[in-house]
Amino acid sequence: MSRGSRSSRGTTIREGTGEKNWYAIAAYVAFSIIGVGFIAWSMYQAGAMGGGIAIAVVVIGLSVFALVTFPALFKDSAYLRGTAAGWNPKWWFYIAGPILVTVLMYAAGETAGINVGSTELSGGVFSLFIFPVATAVSNAYYLYQRHRHVGVP
């Protein structure tokens, strides 16, 4: 057995993995629901693109937090592979999905243009809003599948 790993039921488990990595994923989903709700409320209260600084802070915060969930997805899926859970999640699917959606929406925004109210958004600005939402949807789907196969959360 290599250094930095342990054995459980004859399967090598990576060091740093554990059953609590899904907490970061669930926290991101909860914070993104709150963040998207805040953005929608701010835009409703102040017009289509109102509340600029507050919305920017929330979007940037959610984007950074989304990047933190990627290692948590990898560690949780590595932990599940090392247990008798009976589910072998493909972690790259849950990471590549939001990135691919963001790239496609960027391309769509650059070619067709996106109008929000009377403001036209470039693909880059639009993709800043899409990345946290796509990551939240992907993480929520991962948690749903995890619950279905493992029972927790």
Side-chain angles (χ1 to χ4, degrees):
M1 184 165 31
S2 66
R3 189 175 148 221
S5 60
R6 61 188 190 277
S7 179
S8 171
R9 298 179 193 100
T11 305
T12 302
I13 300 174
R14 290 178 182 259
E15 197 63 39
T17 63
E19 62 186 36
K20 298 189 182 194
N21 285 304
W22 67 268
Y23 288 164
I25 301 165
Y28 179 76
V29 172
F31 284 127
S32 65
I33 290 170
I34 293 167
V36 169
F38 172 77
I39 291 169
W41 178 78
S42 294
M43 291 175 75
Y44 175 75
Q45 292 294 323
M49 290 304 293
I53 296 295
I55 289 175
V57 168
V58 170
V59 168
I60 291 170
L62 286 175
S63 296
V64 170
F65 193 12
L67 296 175
V68 172
T69 65
F70 292 164
L73 278 165
F74 173 76
K75 288 179 181 181
D76 192 59
S77 64
Y79 168 74
L80 291 173
R81 278 193 304 273
T83 64
W87 182 48
N88 186 14
K90 294 173 178 50
W91 58 270
W92 53 267
F93 173 77
Y94 300 98
I95 294 173
I99 293 171
L100 181 64
V101 166
T102 303
V103 168
L104 290 175
M105 294 308 286
Y106 173 81
E110 285 297 314
T111 56
I114 306 294
N115 291 322
V116 177
S118 62
T119 307
E120 183 173 341
L121 299 177
S122 69
V125 172
F126 185 65
S127 63
L128 285 176
F129 288 99
I130 292 299
F131 179 67
V133 173
T135 303
V137 169
S138 174
N139 287 347
Y141 183 68
Y142 176 84
L143 290 175
Y144 168 74
Q145 291 295 329
R146 189 182 200 282
H147 176 71
R148 214 180 82 177
H149 293 283
V150 180
V152 175

